[in-house]
Amino acid sequence: MQSFDVVIVGAGPAGIGMALELNKIPGLKYGVLESGRIGESFRCWPAQTRLITPSFYSNPFGLADLNAVDATSSPAIFAGAEHLSGNQYADYLTFVANAAELPIACGCKVMQVDPDPDGGFILLTEYGKLFTQFLIWATGEYQFPDLKPFPGGHWCRHYAQIEDWQAMEAGTYTIIGGYESGLDSAINLLEFGHQVRLLVRKPTWDLPDVYDPSQTLSPFTRERLRKVESSNRLQIIYDADVVEVTREENGNFCIHTADGRRWETTHPPILGTGFLKGGGARQITDLWMWGDDDHIVLSDVDESIYAPGLFLIGPQVRHDLRIYCFIYKFRQRFARIAHQIALRLELVIEPSEKSEDGTWGPFGNSECCEGCEC
Ligand SMILES: Cc1cc2nc3c(=O)[nH]c(=O)nc-3n(C[C@H](O)[C@H](O)[C@H](O)COP(=O)(O)OP(=O)(O)OC[C@H]3O[C@@H](n4cnc5c(N)ncnc54)[C@H](O)[C@@H]3O)c2cc1C
């Protein structure tokens, strides 16, 4: 059985960024296992979807491109674009991984993880078993959509199941969900000439005193919405708490809300209602402590409470009100995990050239951001 110091599962931005950080530890034996291709989730995005966070080459001034996975690379420079498509971003990740010669095995799904009684983990992969002392779980959310947010959810199509909005049949579509994916669905369908009924609980683009893009609509999508909101092909229905979707005898789909309203539609409703709580971490659900709100409870260094040596990185990481669901947020956690692992294995991390001055690190002033309320 092959043996590693560290295995990262998943080669999205979290897994690739973390691997680049581990690359700074000479003597560390690590590998990345990916069930598909590098950036697989981004390759599965609908053709029209763009990153909502802008890319801009600001790296030499101490503030890395918001979508970069390390301090020196820049998706803006790589793609010559500010809002990259899924394929452009996956190409960027592949380029960075190849340039650093990261040890990645693609097409290698991890199917089971068993903690070893003597410490470490035994992973069952499509190609056999391997042992690792430390395990970093980076499996994201996108490939784990919540297909049944309410009874009858199976009659609907989830945002993550759409390949290309241009290929949709002509007609009127009903979309459930008023955050990023619901709005992206609505705007794309409008742009391709369809009628859209958008059911939202509350307008996420108009929430007083909420500024964090993890909770309120991003300026990018707000701006796109502004261009279509006066269209007579768009109907927005507020306070719509959908509780069920049924199939009628005439073949139509019927959407029911908690307050007794109902709408019929010929096309399956589109779910912009999000992903499984915990996303890919559900694959090893027993190894995590789950909080009352169905989020994973982690130590200060993002380690599992139940399985020491197992770390979580990516959009599922939360600490109190801090939601690390964007690349520019969760990349700030890589260095502390690398530091922990190096410490426990009594190895040394090579200092990063870019953060030697200590004040403004590549990803911002982390001392300020970790402690203060700004
Ligand atoms: C439509 C949309 C737009 C978004 N726009 C932005 C944005 O503009 N800016 C931003 O910062 N964030 C954005 N996000 C969020 C961002 O996509 C995620 O935060 C990011 O993809 C998470 O990266 P990740 O590496 O954790 O997960 P992923 O990119 O999902 O990578 C996880 C990888 O793990 C692999 N995997 C899963 N299970 C296994 C297994 N058992 N064995 C082996 N491999 C496995 C998958 O194949 C995948 O490649 C957006 C999300 C969506 C859905």
Side-chain angles (χ1 to χ4, degrees):
M1 183 157 56
Q2 257 197 304
S3 177
F4 292 84
D5 294 325
V6 187
V7 165
I8 300 171
V9 180
I16 299 292
M18 188 69 231
L20 291 167
E21 203 60 42
L22 294 185
N23 237 5
K24 297 176 188 166
I25 309 176
L28 186 76
K29 188 176 177 202
Y30 79 94
V32 183
L33 305 181
E34 164 58 52
S35 58
R37 298 157 288 179
I38 294 173
E40 182 66 33
S41 297
F42 289 82
R43 299 234 180 256
C44 298
W45 277 12
Q48 292 76 17
T49 298
R50 295 288 176 271
L51 280 171
I52 56 179
T53 42
S55 274
F56 201 89
Y57 182 55
S58 41
N59 305 21
F61 287 83
L63 190 66
D65 183 319
L66 277 189
N67 299 308
V69 291
D70 71 345
T72 48
S73 69
S74 164
I77 296 290
F78 176 80
E82 190 176 21
H83 294 277
L84 279 70
S85 69
N87 277 327
Q88 283 177 316
Y89 194 74
D91 286 345
Y92 154 76
L93 290 177
T94 309
F95 172 79
V96 171
N98 289 341
E101 298 180 2
L102 297 180
I104 302 175
C106 287
C108 182
K109 184 173 177 160
V110 174
M111 295 177 301
Q112 194 178 318
V113 176
D114 293 310
D116 188 295
D118 297 328
F121 302 89
I122 295 170
L123 310 190
L124 177 64
T125 77
E126 284 174 286
Y127 298 103
K129 285 186 175 180
L130 57 88
F131 172 84
T132 181
Q133 191 65 40
F134 295 97
L135 177 61
I136 302 180
W137 203 252
T139 56
E141 291 176 327
Y142 193 73
Q143 295 180 50
F144 306 90
D146 185 357
L147 300 176
K148 288 187 192 152
F150 36 69
H154 62 281
W155 295 120
C156 307
R157 280 181 81 178
H158 194 281
Y159 178 86
Q161 296 170 324
I162 308 281
E163 284 177 23
D164 189 340
W165 295 106
Q166 196 166 9
M168 303 291 276
E169 265 177 52
T172 300
Y173 286 88
T174 303
I175 298 162
I176 305 169
Y179 192 39
E180 292 293 347
S181 56
L183 266 295
D184 189 46
S185 310
I187 295 164
N188 279 308
L189 286 168
L190 286 164
E191 284 175 350
F192 285 114
H194 303 284
Q195 303 271 343
V196 171
R197 182 192 289 132
L198 179 65
L199 306 184
V200 307
R201 283 204 180 108
K202 55 187 177 181
T204 55
W205 49 94
D206 198 13
L207 301 175
D209 301 328
V210 183
Y211 308 113
D212 181 357
S214 299
Q215 298 175 64
T216 186
L217 201 70
S218 66
F220 176 65
T221 312
R222 182 72 192 92
E223 200 176 350
R224 293 176 68 210
L225 174 62
R226 210 169 284 133
K227 288 185 189 147
V228 296
E229 65 191 343
S230 57
S231 164
N232 56 13
R233 287 184 287 109
L234 173 65
Q235 182 191 15
I236 303 182
I237 293 165
Y238 297 98
D239 301 317
D241 185 13
V242 174
V243 289
E244 190 175 12
V245 170
T246 52
R247 190 89 195 253
E248 304 298 286
E249 278 180 9
N250 61 7
N252 284 351
F253 303 90
C254 189
I255 301 151
H256 307 259
T257 49
D259 55 12
R261 285 178 291 170
R262 61 198 296 281
W263 296 268
E264 272 196 37
T265 160
T266 49
H267 293 297
I270 292 165
L271 293 177
T273 42
F275 299 88
L276 288 181
K277 288 261 174 74
R282 286 279 172 198
Q283 295 176 98
I284 49 168
T285 198
D286 293 345
L287 299 185
W288 309 106
M289 179 195 271
W290 296 86
D292 295 338
D293 55 358
D294 246 3
H295 289 113
I296 297 171
V297 182
L298 295 166
S299 77
D300 284 353
V301 289
D302 302 344
E303 191 169 8
S304 162
I305 306 292
Y306 291 160
L310 168 65
F311 295 86
L312 180 68
I313 54 173
Q316 305 99 313
V317 173
R318 287 186 178 219
H319 287 282
D320 301 322
L321 293 178
R322 276 169 211 270
I323 308 170
Y324 289 87
C325 75
F326 283 91
I327 296 156
Y328 73 91
K329 294 179 170 188
F330 63 67
R331 70 187 184 187
Q332 299 199 12
R333 314 290 297 176
F334 300 155
R336 69 174 60 207
I337 295 175
H339 180 77
Q340 269 304 309
I341 290 173
L343 202 69
R344 292 187 206 176
L345 292 174
E346 297 181 358
L347 294 170
V348 178
I349 301 187
E350 282 177 355
S352 159
E353 291 165 29
K354 291 281 166 184
S355 56
E356 258 172 10
D357 66 4
T359 32
W360 284 93
F363 298 151
N365 185 345
S366 63
E367 279 173 24
C368 168
C369 292
E370 290 303 320
C372 79
E373 296 299 317
C374 68

